[in-house]
Amino acid sequence: MQANDDLQSRWWKLEEKLIERFGRKPDMETILFLIGIQEFGDIKAKFSKEQKQDLMHIATCSLLAQSGFYELEGVDEEGWPHFRQLKALPVMNLHEQENFLKDHILLYFDQQEF
């Protein structure tokens, strides 16, 4: 219970910082999109729906690479990173998956200049 409370309070602090920075509270998809743009490194005015999904995938792989689940395999000719899965993700229910991802997002932002 204590670990969940700590995770939640750390998450709320991150949300406060993001609200200060962007003027509104982002949902999980928006946070993944922002991380994807950061990792991709190319900020365009517009991304297609497919590119937005790709950016969220890049974010998820980048986040889970912190724990050794994925590694960067390389970058294609258009600059898009590609990842290789190194080990299977643990079996989790939806709530556990969300907390697992939140924990990795918090770790990511702890390592970034924000």
Side-chain angles (χ1 to χ4, degrees):
M1 187 68 151
Q2 176 69 30
N4 280 343
D5 290 347
D6 181 54
L7 175 69
Q8 191 59 51
S9 69
R10 290 171 45 228
W11 185 255
W12 287 334
K13 287 178 186 171
L14 175 61
E15 284 182 334
E16 286 175 21
K17 287 181 183 179
L18 292 172
I19 290 168
E20 286 175 22
R21 179 92 185 258
F22 298 106
R24 63 178 133 160
K25 181 178 168 183
D27 60 16
M28 182 72 78
E29 284 185 359
T30 302
I31 293 170
L32 290 174
F33 178 69
L34 291 171
I35 292 170
I37 290 173
Q38 176 77 20
E39 292 300 308
F40 180 52
D42 183 12
I43 301 172
K44 296 181 180 182
K46 293 272 187 187
F47 287 101
S48 70
K49 184 176 181 176
E50 184 177 317
Q51 288 173 323
K52 288 178 183 178
Q53 290 174 332
D54 290 345
L55 288 166
M56 289 190 285
H57 177 73
I58 290 167
T60 302
C61 292
S62 296
L63 291 169
L64 298 180
Q66 299 173 118
S67 296
F69 290 99
Y70 288 86
E71 74 175 358
L72 181 63
E73 197 168 43
V75 178
D76 68 20
E77 62 280 351
E78 295 178 5
W80 290 88
H82 294 270
F83 291 84
R84 174 178 45 232
Q85 188 171 357
L86 299 176
K87 59 185 179 181
L89 293 166
V91 176
M92 297 175 270
N93 66 37
L94 194 56
H95 179 71
E96 291 167 332
Q97 288 176 27
E98 184 175 298
N99 284 343
F100 185 72
L101 200 50
K102 282 182 177 180
D103 198 34
H104 282 81
I105 289 169
L106 289 164
L107 179 61
Y108 178 86
F109 278 104
D110 285 347
Q111 297 171 355
Q112 299 294 312
E113 289 295 318
F114 183 60

